Amino acid sequence: METPGTTTTTRAVVRLCAMVALLIKGSTGLVCYTAVETLDLGCLLRWDCPHASPNTTYTVQTKTQGDPWQDVSWCIWISSQSCDVSQAFSNFELYNMIRLGVHLSPSSTVWIEPRKFDYSDFSHCSLPTPAFSPPSVSVSLKDDGLLVKVQFPCAANRRCSVERCCPISELIDPWTTVTVYNNLNHSDYQSRTVWTQEVMSYVDFSGLAPGLNYCAVANFSFPTFFMAASPKSEPQCVKTVSKSGQLTVLCIGFGLTSLLLVPLLTVFLCRPRQPAPTIENQPKTLV
């Protein structure tokens, strides 16, 4: 039977062994820095383990709120230091987590502290670069104004097919701002912001001066979730029809119409008429 002194000594030895074990574990120098990069709703996990050996391999796992941790099938026992997990997430309104596993041996894996991935990763505060690519615009004349069509960048997400472009507007509804300005006088401009609920956005502008060059640019954002705005698109320009040009078009149209109608009228007017029957030629009435 152990004496009280022996019991106290045994406990002290156990505590000392535990502290030594913790020190040995910390002395391995396993320090990894992880970062999440996002572009167009995609998600790229990068990491740097300065003290890991060149032959170290890694595994990445993801977890969506309510689900268990799952391996990213294309990032198991890899030697690279990045993993694109865009196809692993489909719902940004739930909590999504990512964690890195470092394989110290075939039977020993150390998991680094998980990182989240949600709407806040698209905000200005967490990103040194824009989280979205700029949209593209096309401009066409419409009556006395312009029609601007906005095309959004493709998204990287498992809800979209890899073989085709899936605009981000299929996954979330952006706020789209379109600005049309006079190319010679940028203070002469019109700007409209619309909530886009379709794959593409169409915005009409009217009241533009005739005979001038107007350019259109667009960008989009998600102010509801305090998300970053995209950069502006490349400008697309078009020249509105001048009054003299409109008169010329009317004259040309009138001339073409005349060329078609005059021959028809000439043929109709010059067509020989049948002579009216005279009295002599009429049959006599029987008495």
Side-chain angles (χ1 to χ4, degrees), residues 33-52:
Y33 304 96
T34 59
V36 173
E37 298 178 5
T38 178
L39 179 65
D40 300 330
L41 302 182
C43 181
L44 178 68
L45 178 68
R46 292 186 182 275
W47 60 86
D48 180 24
C49 304
H51 305 291

Side-chain angles (χ1 to χ4, degrees), residues 130-263:
F132 301 99
S133 302
S136 60
V137 299
S138 60
V139 183
S140 59
L141 294 174
K142 182 181 180 182
D143 299 330
D144 62 341
L146 299 179
L147 176 63
V148 181
K149 181 176 71 173
V150 182
Q151 177 74 47
F152 298 95
C154 302
N157 191 273
R158 75 180 185 186
R159 286 167 56 185
C160 303
S161 173
V162 180
E163 290 77 15
R164 69 178 183 92
C165 172
C166 177
I168 63 170
S169 50
E170 289 189 8
L171 304 177
I172 47 182
D173 299 328
W175 287 88
T176 307
T177 301
V178 181
T179 302
V180 171
Y181 59 90
N182 184 345
N183 198 26
L184 298 178
N185 181 14
H186 288 197
S187 61
D188 176 18
Y189 72 93
Q190 297 182 32
S191 183
R192 291 186 58 192
T193 300
V194 297
W195 184 30
T196 303
Q197 294 179 285
E198 304 294 336
V199 175
M200 288 184 292
S201 183
Y202 297 88
V203 184
D204 287 312
F205 291 87
S206 59
L208 304 178
L212 297 178
N213 285 319
Y214 283 92
C215 300
V217 294
N219 72 328
F220 60 92
S221 61
F222 300 86
T224 304
F225 301 99
F226 302 99
M227 299 172 71
S230 73
K232 290 184 177 180
S233 65
E234 291 293 328
Q236 295 295 321
C237 305
V238 68
K239 185 176 182 180
T240 56
V241 179
S242 63
K243 292 182 178 180
S244 60
Q246 294 175 351
L247 182 61
T248 302
V249 171
L250 291 176
C251 292
I252 293 175
F254 179 76
L256 292 175
T257 305
S258 301
L259 290 175
L260 293 174
L261 292 179
V262 168

